[in-house]
Amino acid sequence: MSSSALARFAREQVVEPEAIARARQAALELGAAPISPQVGAQCAVIAAATGARSIIEIGTGAGVSGLWLLHGSPDAVLTTIDKEPEHLAAAREAFAAARVPMARVRAIRGRAADVLPRMNEKAYDVVFIDADQDQIIDYVAHGLRLVRPGGTVLVPRVLAGGRVADPVARDAHTSDLRNLISETLGSASVFASLQTAEEGLLQITLPRA
């Protein structure tokens, strides 16, 4: 069986909850590209396996990724950061439609580069990073600072549409992602894995203390 057939089969098996599917449609209409259902499902698994109680999301979009994370950890509190007010407004509608209590979502409007330095170290079980791709290295460094021992940093879109595997692609962003992947997977100080389905997902888990 071809790899494309296997990929299609895996893609078709993901059952996206109705509230997330509605948020996905709103995101597409808004132009806020959401993570794929496969990546969303993997994020939910990580959140569930971590037993996450506190999650921070860099890049709210229209709420798709936040809903997937909360789907995996229904008792968690989500802090979500986005500089676009229309994104935050769409996400608030998505959370309300999914009947997520307001007390479980803390939305912060602002540039992540300005907000993250003020966030508490080792305060989150899961850090999800999907914003400002040109600053992805800095955001991952912040994520590793913010996550608790045993927690996980999640970075979608790391395949750059397949460019990371193309030796001819040497633009700064692709090179940053390529180096991030190789250095993370080769590090002895974290547990790391690269999921290659759809847009890709880099998973970085800190050892427990």
Side-chain angles (χ1 to χ4, degrees):
M1 183 177 292
S2 69
S3 59
S4 60
L6 287 171
R8 183 173 63 254
F9 173 80
R11 185 184 308 118
E12 291 171 351
Q13 302 316 301
V14 179
V15 178
E16 190 163 55
E18 182 179 347
I20 303 180
R22 290 197 302 268
R24 176 176 304 282
Q25 184 58 40
L28 294 172
E29 293 172 0
L30 186 62
I35 57 171
S36 66
Q38 277 183 282
V39 168
Q42 182 65 23
C43 290
V45 168
I46 294 297
T50 304
R53 306 287 296 183
S54 183
I55 300 171
I56 187 167
E57 175 185 49
I58 305 166
T60 308
V64 172
S65 52
L67 285 173
W68 269 118
L69 290 162
L70 292 173
H71 181 65
S73 286
D75 296 323
V77 172
L78 172 71
T79 298
T80 185
I81 304 166
D82 204 295
K83 63 184 179 182
E84 302 294 342
E86 61 268 29
H87 291 183
L88 292 171
R92 278 193 289 269
E93 291 182 8
F95 294 139
R99 299 184 180 180
V100 176
M102 291 181 60
R104 288 182 54 210
V105 179
R106 176 192 180 198
I108 300 176
R109 178 186 171 188
R111 294 176 63 251
D114 298 328
V115 175
L116 292 174
R118 304 198 299 267
M119 309 307 287
N120 293 331
E121 294 186 9
K122 297 179 173 62
Y124 300 93
D125 301 301
V126 173
V127 178
F128 179 86
I129 302 171
D130 187 23
D132 299 331
Q133 290 293 305
D134 59 333
Q135 298 189 59
I136 192 67
I137 302 300
D138 289 341
Y139 290 167
V140 171
H142 277 296
L144 293 171
R145 178 182 64 82
L146 296 176
V147 75
R148 294 186 178 111
T152 298
V153 176
L154 298 170
V155 191
R157 308 186 203 277
V158 290
L159 299 182
R163 293 195 308 278
V164 293
D166 182 359
V168 177
R170 298 184 180 181
D171 60 280
H173 176 56
T174 303
S175 296
D176 282 347
L177 289 176
R178 192 179 291 131
N179 291 334
L180 173 65
I181 291 168
S182 61
E183 291 178 10
T184 302
L185 295 183
S187 173
S189 60
V190 298
F191 302 104
S193 176
L194 175 63
Q195 174 183 310
T196 58
E198 299 295 340
E199 66 269 39
L201 180 68
L202 182 62
Q203 305 163 67
I204 312 167
T205 298
L206 269 60
R208 296 187 182 275

